[in-house]
Each structure stands twice: as structure tokens, then as C-alpha cells.
Amino acid sequence: MIKRLVIFGNTYQHADTSRVVSLLEYLRHRGIDIAVEHEYLQYLCHQDANGIASFEVNHVPEADMALSLGGDGTFLTTAMWVSRQGMPILGINLGHLGYLTNGHLDGSNSIIDDVLAGNYRIEERTMLQVECDDVDISHPWALNEVAILRHDTSSMLDMETSLRSHSLTTYRGDGLIVSTPTGSTAYNMSVGGPILEPTTSCLVLSPISPHSLTMRPLVVRDDSIIVVRTHTRATHYEVSIDGEVTLCPTGSALTIKRAAHCARVVQLAGNNFASTLRQKLLWGTDQR
């Protein structure tokens, strides 16, 4: 039984604010207690979103479900804040692709009706945790990927990589992506990595612009501990954790492993992996 929702959103899709406020009113009409992330609620208030409780992201209240209003970036941010609580996440798309979401804002009332009727399932998705031996990373969890990238130089990175305490290789190139199955359709896919069914128990290592024909994406078990020590001519390199960038000093090592918690993603009864590939990635579409 869904009695309370916490709601996250972004502040740059101005055309949708009035419809978001209408959705909030519909939730209250259905008897759902709602609390909206403070900055997002302030953004909505010029559309008369009044009388609604708010919260700071550092103090997310207990709720039966989190509602992410936006695209995949908003969904990833929501997962970062609520996944450790085991809170299921329902995504409604206000963006372009919305691969992680269940549908568009235009059909949000019917999505809410389905959820309140119990016509959904929860998929548990692997998350990553990353540690740097020289930097304290405040939010070290990723639902999509951890990416090692160049910073302030066009020189290649040398990334000494070990897998489960055994030396694997030294990747040379523009970077390295360690992706979850959920993230396999994100940055990983754009560099030629494989698409994985999101509930499989594995990770992908995909080099970015490798300086060798022998460096190809590699699928490993998701209980693998991956350690990458990165060298570059610059003083630092970048670590992108679901798009949130941290600078690490050259020569430092990252430890990447499966997080102790997972993201609990709400899927409507009619949604499935195959249909999502066809509808959102145009899988197999012949437009000749």
C-alpha cells in the first residue's frame, strides 16, 4: 500500500511545471501524502504549488516510494539519495529518452493509478561503490557507471587494472568505463560496449578510445573487485560517478566494487526489457 511519496525533480524543464503541479494535486486527491525536495518545490512554487511539505536531500524522510520527475539524470540523482534506504523508485519522464522511466508526464495519472492498484513489480539493480586512496568521495555510489577520464590534457591515460587481486592489463587511451547492467545502455553503449539485461549479475569494463586493437570491452562477475591505478602527464584525472565528477591525483588508485545496497526500480506490469529496447533504442528498426 502506497501512502507516502517523496518527490525529486530538476529545475530546467520550464514547459512542464504546470503539469507537474497538476500531478501533485492528483496525488493528494488520491489520498497520498507527498513531500517534495526543497529546491524543486521552490522552483514549482510560482505555479501555486502551495501547502506541500518539503525536505532537504541530506535528510530524506521515510516513504513508501520515491517519485523521480525528469529524465535519466534525475533518476540517477534520486537513486543516489534513496537507494541506501531500500526505497523503490518510480520514474516519470519529462526529458527526451527517459530510458529508466515508466512513461511520459502526459500519461502520469494512469501510471499513478497502476502503481496504487499494485500493477507493478520491483527490479533490484546492481549499484557500484568507488573509493580513491587519496580522496574522500562524498557520494561514491553509481547506478550507471564509474568512468575514469582525462583532465586538462590531451595526453593518454595509463590505467593499471587488476581484477579480483590479479593483474588484468594496463589500458592506454582516453579513459575506462566500469558499468553496471543498468548503465550498459548509457556511456558504455556509446563507446561500443555490450548491452546487458539490467538484472543480470555482471559488470562491464569498456575502454574509451584505446590505443590498441586488442583492448575490447570485457564482461566480469559483479562480485569482482576492480582496482585501477591511473597515471597521466596532468596533475589529476577525473572520476565521473553517474556524471558527478571528482578529481583524483595522478598515481592514485580507485577501488570499484558492487555496493552493499541495490537500487529498487519500479516497473509497470506491461514493461519489459525487450519492449524497452524496441521503443526507446529503436532496436532492430529498419527505416529503409
Side-chain angles (χ1 to χ4, degrees):
M1 178 70 69
I2 307 298
K3 295 183 178 180
R4 190 179 200 199
L5 290 173
V6 292
I7 299 173
F8 294 79
N10 62 62
T11 58
Y12 48 82
Q13 287 161 330
H14 305 286
D16 294 315
T17 54
S18 61
R19 290 186 294 165
V20 169
V21 173
S22 296
L23 172 60
L24 301 184
E25 291 301 323
Y26 183 71
L27 287 167
R28 295 204 289 183
H29 172 72
R30 291 298 309 269
I32 304 301
D33 181 24
I34 61 175
V36 181
E37 187 273 317
H38 177 73
E39 183 179 350
Y40 187 48
L41 183 60
Q42 292 297 108
Y43 167 75
L44 296 174
C45 275
H46 72 281
Q47 294 286 347
D48 298 322
N50 299 312
I52 297 173
S54 68
F55 64 90
E56 301 288 345
V57 290
N58 288 305
H59 299 92
V60 180
E62 291 186 4
D64 302 304
M65 189 174 288
L67 177 59
S68 171
L69 298 175
D72 291 336
T74 305
F75 194 99
L76 295 174
T77 300
T78 304
M80 181 183 71
W81 288 112
V82 309
S83 58
R84 282 174 292 165
Q85 300 181 29
M87 195 182 299
I89 307 166
L90 170 66
I92 293 179
N93 184 27
L94 276 65
H96 300 290
L97 179 61
Y99 188 82
L100 295 169
T101 62
N102 276 272
H104 200 269
L105 182 61
D106 291 338
S108 58
N109 286 6
S110 63
I111 293 173
I112 295 301
D113 290 342
D114 279 340
V115 170
L116 295 183
N119 298 325
Y120 68 93
R121 67 187 186 280
I122 294 176
E123 292 183 350
E124 294 191 345
R125 305 284 187 86
T126 296
M127 295 190 71
L128 296 173
Q129 180 174 343
V130 58
E131 300 172 358
C132 179
D133 56 9
D134 288 334
V135 175
D136 182 22
I137 301 175
S138 58
H139 299 293
W141 300 282
L143 174 57
N144 266 2
E145 77 275 313
V146 175
I148 299 169
L149 305 166
R150 298 181 305 181
H151 178 71
D152 285 345
T153 181
S154 59
S155 299
M156 289 188 298
L157 302 177
D158 289 324
M159 296 160 286
E160 302 172 5
T161 304
S162 67
L163 178 68
R164 297 191 295 274
S165 300
H166 299 289
S167 176
L168 178 63
T169 191
T170 297
Y171 291 99
R172 301 193 71 210
D174 288 354
L176 178 67
I177 300 166
V178 180
S179 170
T180 67
T182 298
S184 69
T185 50
Y187 199 174
N188 167 76
M189 184 180 71
S190 72
V191 300
I195 294 176
L196 304 175
E197 193 161 6
T199 54
T200 52
S201 300
C202 56
L203 306 174
V204 185
L205 284 72
S206 294
I208 304 170
S209 301
H211 195 249
S212 172
L213 293 175
T214 63
M215 296 296 180
R216 291 292 179 262
L218 176 66
V219 178
V220 300
R221 302 192 321 242
D222 72 350
D223 63 353
S224 301
I225 296 177
I226 300 160
V227 178
V228 184
R229 185 174 298 276
T230 300
H231 301 276
T232 173
R233 291 180 183 177
T235 58
H236 291 79
Y237 61 94
E238 295 183 3
V239 180
S240 173
I241 305 170
D242 277 354
E244 296 291 326
V245 175
T246 297
L247 293 182
C248 293
T250 185
S252 61
L254 295 178
T255 300
I256 304 168
K257 60 185 178 181
R258 183 179 61 194
H261 59 274
C262 64
R264 306 183 70 223
V265 178
V266 174
Q267 295 284 5
L268 296 184
N271 288 1
N272 60 75
F273 176 60
S275 65
T276 299
L277 283 181
R278 293 195 309 273
Q279 294 169 14
K280 295 187 177 182
L281 294 184
L282 305 180
W283 184 260
T285 299
D286 187 347
Q287 297 183 337
R288 290 175 294 179

